Amino acid sequence: MIKIGIYGYGNLARGVEAAIKKNDDMELVAVFSRRDPSTVKIATKGVDVVSANDVTKYADKIDVLVLCGGSRTDLPVQTPELAKYFNVVDSFDTHAHVSEHFANVDRAALESKHIGVISTGWDPGMFSLNRAIMEAVLPDGQDYTFWGKGVSQGHSDAIRRIAGVKDARQYTVPVEAALEAVRAGKNPELTTRQKHTRLCYVVADEKDYARIEKEIKTMPDYFSDYDTTVNFISQEELDRDHKGLPHGGFVIRTGETSEGVKHVIEYNLKLDSNPQFTGSVLIAYARAAYRANKRGEAGARTVFDFAPKDISPVSYDELLKHTL
Amino acid sequence: MIKIGIYGYGNLARGVEAAIKKNDDMELVAVFSRRDPSTVKIATKGVDVVSANDVTKYADKIDVLVLCGGSRTDLPVQTPELAKYFNVVDSFDTHAHVSEHFANVDRAALESKHIGVISTGWDPGMFSLNRAIMEAVLPDGQDYTFWGKGVSQGHSDAIRRIAGVKDARQYTVPVEAALEAVRAGKNPELTTRQKHTRLCYVVADEKDYARIEKEIKTMPDYFSDYDTTVNFISQEELDRDHKGLPHGGFVIRTGETSEGVKHVIEYNLKLDSNPQFTGSVLIAYARAAYRANKRGEAGARTVFDFAPKDISPVSYDELLKHTL
């Protein structure tokens, strides 16, 4: 059994916890939280809930520590620090700082002889892996990534910070016509506005509707570059219809193997729960981290470093017989 | 530059030859044929065309030999034999004999300290790789593979062997309703007939139409288990509309990460040319074979053994910056 620890206990951590139950070779040993452990109720019985301050006491009891903090302030510090004591896996997703984060984790993990898998999940993660493989098998081509339909938590939060907004949920929606143009191999040049629309559900007092709608639609970075639709609904409707965290998206590569001979490769995801699927991917890469470390490897890793057999719960012989 | 040899010179070999031109780190050194070399016209200038009998003379001149023979009689003999002298890549696709073929290639390649990549292409190959990764990230689920719309050369040949048939082309077509049931997560139990239909274009004399149609539709293994449509057309129509070798297909996995929380992962291909895309995949795995051998590895390998970075033409640093 691979002994897993979870560091941080929010939505993603609950996804990781659920994923462990679906993998027979995994066992949850402890959950670490910065909150008072007595206030943290987890879903698995008989598992230690421990103060994050005491995490190093578990260095010999855990094979892989799955880090469930945020990319902005948590992971840049936590992943290199915890790689001094554990094999770690994170879902760092700030593209602009990936090389720096990789270098920091690599340094710590090489010194402590651990494996640090960074930036896994679905994007970055499965989408990155597919972009890399698609490019390798169809080098003369172009890839496109679309997200949605799904809930963007960052955009939902941005709406909730507007005065008068009681609650809100924002969906990112890919533009069907853009998807079709890409699939048709037209290599379109697509602006931000042409790729995705933004669909918002907002709870507020009726007197504030016009102002809130205007504030949303003109918000720089988040909404002003998009065609945005704002629907005002009741709290009951929002709670009933929009409490899930579905997401998904598309990676499509089109290209030629010779003049006029075209190919289309598409990978897409439709996820009922973004954090649960992300958690499930993290657990597959926790397996890879464990195995690589057992082989004597150390350092930072990404999805680009692992073969299918490294993440698979199935024996190589079974893969040959039933999956090839 | 990775020096490539091509063994056998049919449709697949021409696809490999085209793919080499799309990969800047590859160079075609020689094509080996069992035919008289003076009768074999290849598409690349300045490249040796050599009798297959003389292949071992190139042992020091070629980094990876790509084998383009058939799975039934060629590859079971050729891949183990040529792995004594070369790193090799093949597209062996007889599922029932994969384990045996792997063992034979492994034995020869370990002894000669070469890498032998077997069963690559798109299915087996990209589809196998995707089935394995999908299962790893969504272990509680079920996967389905559909093929088409595309030309099945084996089925086209079977029709051409019927008395009175002058020419024929057969398309395998996935049943849209079955695809939709799978995507909806219904985990349908699908019979052969429910997954694919077979669409045939046949050139023959009108007096033979009824008999030929009956012979096709009742042909065991090939057609009798399918809903088959037979269209009689002229040779001109067939030459004009059906001379390409398009293919493609779908791998779809659906599953749950917890009770009632469902996810759908789909990978699909639409290929203008089956042999050109297959050749392009073989070349990506030729790169992986070359690199693995340079690292001092030996033995049989499949798509399950290689990480994205092993097949990628792009540097790791570039992958981190632009693909992650």
Side-chain angles (χ1 to χ4, degrees):
Chain A
M1 297 290 272
I2 304 173
K3 296 182 183 70
I4 303 288
I6 295 176
Y7 193 87
Y9 197 70
N11 281 334
L12 174 57
R14 280 184 286 269
V16 172
E17 188 179 14
I20 292 168
K21 296 193 170 83
K22 296 288 189 185
N23 285 276
D24 296 339
D25 58 344
M26 301 272 174
E27 154 183 34
L28 179 60
V29 170
V31 171
F32 302 92
S33 173
R34 284 177 293 196
R35 286 174 277 162
D36 175 352
S38 68
T39 67
V40 178
K41 299 278 166 268
I42 70 168
T44 315
K45 279 183 191 161
V47 167
D48 299 350
V49 180
V50 183
S51 164
N53 298 325
D54 295 329
V55 66
T56 58
K57 292 180 185 164
Y58 281 74
D60 296 333
K61 295 176 191 164
I62 284 173
D63 293 316
V64 187
L65 187 62
V66 181
L67 310 187
C68 298
S71 292
R72 211 153 52 139
T73 56
D74 296 335
L75 298 175
V77 178
Q78 291 172 359
T79 314
E81 178 60 25
L82 291 165
K84 294 178 185 169
Y85 308 97
F86 298 93
N87 297 309
V88 294
V89 177
D90 81 18
S91 61
F92 184 79
D93 68 357
T94 312
H95 277 83
H97 298 132
V98 162
S99 295
E100 183 188 342
H101 187 57
F102 185 94
N104 292 340
V105 174
D106 198 42
R107 205 174 305 118
L110 280 172
E111 195 171 318
S112 72
K113 299 196 168 59
H114 287 104
I115 293 286
V117 184
I118 66 160
S119 302
T120 189
W122 62 273
D123 194 11
M126 289 297 103
F127 276 16
S128 324
L129 178 147
N130 272 281
R131 284 187 287 258
I133 296 173
M134 288 177 188
E135 181 177 25
V137 300
L138 193 57
D140 182 9
Q142 192 173 347
D143 66 49
Y144 294 81
T145 300
F146 292 85
W147 297 278
K149 182 183 176 180
V151 171
S152 166
Q153 295 180 263
H155 286 76
S156 301
D157 290 343
I159 299 174
R160 278 192 289 264
R161 285 192 294 265
I162 294 173
V165 171
K166 293 171 182 168
D167 204 349
R169 184 77 20 142
Q170 192 272 172
Y171 295 89
T172 302
V173 185
V175 174
E176 194 62 37
L179 271 171
E180 286 310 317
V182 168
R183 286 187 182 120
K186 292 180 182 166
N187 283 1
E189 293 273 344
L190 297 167
T191 63
T192 298
R193 192 179 295 275
Q194 287 168 324
K195 285 186 77 181
H196 299 95
T197 58
R198 299 203 174 274
L199 178 59
C200 313
Y201 293 92
V202 180
V203 181
D205 285 335
E206 202 166 339
K207 64 177 172 52
D208 297 325
Y209 283 3
R211 175 185 53 82
I212 289 170
E213 179 163 350
K214 192 177 167 198
E215 284 196 42
I216 293 172
K217 290 186 170 179
T218 57
M219 195 186 297
D221 300 334
Y222 285 88
F223 293 100
S224 62
D225 293 335
Y226 296 87
D227 289 333
T228 300
T229 306
V230 179
N231 296 313
F232 290 96
I233 61 175
S234 68
Q235 186 72 52
E236 294 70 41
E237 263 182 285
L238 189 125
D239 291 345
R240 187 189 66 212
D241 301 335
H242 304 287
K243 273 293 153 183
L245 293 169
H247 221 313
F250 304 78
V251 178
I252 303 171
R253 187 176 183 89
T254 61
E256 292 189 346
T257 48
S258 64
E259 183 68 30
V261 179
K262 293 184 177 189
H263 310 285
V264 185
I265 313 176
E266 174 169 340
Y267 177 84
N268 68 60
L269 295 172
K270 288 185 196 70
L271 311 173
D272 270 4
S273 163
N274 181 353
Q276 282 197 20
F277 186 75
T278 303
S280 195
V281 175
L282 262 63
I283 277 301
Y285 282 88
R287 178 181 292 118
Y290 170 78
R291 290 173 175 172
N293 193 239
K294 280 275 172 202
R295 290 195 296 265
E297 296 180 25
R301 297 287 187 274
T302 67
V303 293
F304 302 132
D305 291 284
F306 293 110
K309 70 173 178 186
D310 295 324
I311 62 171
S312 179
V314 171
S315 74
Y316 195 81
D317 197 46
E318 285 290 299
L319 287 176
L320 280 190
K321 282 189 178 126
H322 301 298
T323 308
L324 194 78
Chain B
M1 296 292 270
I2 303 174
K3 297 183 183 67
I4 303 289
I6 295 176
Y7 193 86
Y9 197 70
N11 281 334
L12 174 57
R14 280 184 284 270
V16 171
E17 188 179 15
I20 292 168
K21 297 194 172 82
K22 295 289 189 184
N23 285 275
D24 295 339
D25 58 345
M26 303 271 175
E27 149 183 40
L28 179 60
V29 170
V31 170
F32 302 94
S33 172
R34 285 176 293 196
R35 286 174 277 162
D36 175 352
S38 69
T39 68
V40 178
K41 298 278 165 272
I42 70 168
T44 316
K45 279 183 190 159
V47 167
D48 298 351
V49 180
V50 184
S51 164
N53 298 324
D54 295 329
V55 65
T56 58
K57 292 181 185 163
Y58 281 74
D60 296 332
K61 295 176 192 164
I62 284 173
D63 294 315
V64 186
L65 186 62
V66 181
L67 309 187
C68 298
S71 292
R72 211 151 53 136
T73 55
D74 296 334
L75 298 175
V77 178
Q78 291 172 358
T79 315
E81 178 59 25
L82 291 165
K84 294 179 185 168
Y85 308 96
F86 298 94
N87 297 309
V88 294
V89 177
D90 82 18
S91 61
F92 183 79
D93 67 357
T94 312
H95 277 83
H97 297 133
V98 161
S99 295
E100 183 189 341
H101 187 57
F102 185 94
N104 292 340
V105 175
D106 199 43
R107 203 174 308 118
L110 280 172
E111 195 173 316
S112 71
K113 298 195 167 61
H114 287 105
I115 293 285
V117 183
I118 66 159
S119 301
T120 190
W122 61 274
D123 194 10
M126 288 297 103
F127 276 15
S128 324
L129 178 148
N130 273 281
R131 285 187 288 259
I133 296 173
M134 289 176 186
E135 181 177 24
V137 301
L138 193 58
D140 182 9
Q142 193 174 345
D143 65 50
Y144 294 80
T145 300
F146 293 84
W147 296 278
K149 181 183 177 179
V151 171
S152 167
Q153 294 179 264
H155 286 75
S156 301
D157 290 343
I159 300 173
R160 279 192 288 262
R161 286 192 294 264
I162 294 173
V165 171
K166 293 172 182 166
D167 204 348
R169 184 73 27 134
Q170 192 271 173
Y171 295 89
T172 302
V173 184
V175 174
E176 195 61 38
L179 270 170
E180 286 310 318
V182 168
R183 286 188 183 119
K186 292 180 182 167
N187 282 2
E189 293 272 345
L190 297 168
T191 62
T192 298
R193 191 178 297 275
Q194 287 168 324
K195 285 186 77 182
H196 299 96
T197 57
R198 298 202 174 276
L199 178 59
C200 313
Y201 294 92
V202 181
V203 181
D205 285 337
E206 201 167 341
K207 65 176 171 53
D208 297 325
Y209 283 3
R211 175 184 54 80
I212 288 171
E213 179 162 351
K214 193 178 168 197
E215 284 196 43
I216 293 172
K217 289 185 170 178
T218 57
M219 194 186 298
D221 301 333
Y222 285 87
F223 293 100
S224 63
D225 293 336
Y226 296 86
D227 290 333
T228 300
T229 306
V230 179
N231 296 311
F232 290 96
I233 61 175
S234 68
Q235 186 72 53
E236 294 69 41
E237 261 182 288
L238 190 124
D239 291 345
R240 187 189 67 213
D241 300 335
H242 304 286
K243 273 294 155 182
L245 292 169
H247 220 312
F250 303 79
V251 178
I252 304 171
R253 187 176 182 89
T254 60
E256 292 189 347
T257 47
S258 63
E259 182 69 30
V261 180
K262 293 183 177 187
H263 309 284
V264 185
I265 313 176
E266 174 169 340
Y267 177 84
N268 68 59
L269 295 173
K270 288 185 197 72
L271 311 174
D272 269 3
S273 163
N274 181 354
Q276 282 198 19
F277 186 74
T278 303
S280 195
V281 175
L282 262 64
I283 278 301
Y285 282 89
R287 178 182 292 118
Y290 170 78
R291 290 174 176 172
N293 193 240
K294 279 276 170 200
R295 291 194 298 264
E297 295 180 28
R301 297 288 186 275
T302 67
V303 292
F304 302 132
D305 292 284
F306 293 109
K309 71 173 178 186
D310 295 324
I311 61 171
S312 178
V314 171
S315 74
Y316 195 81
D317 197 46
E318 285 290 300
L319 286 176
L320 280 189
K321 283 191 177 124
H322 301 299
T323 309
L324 193 78

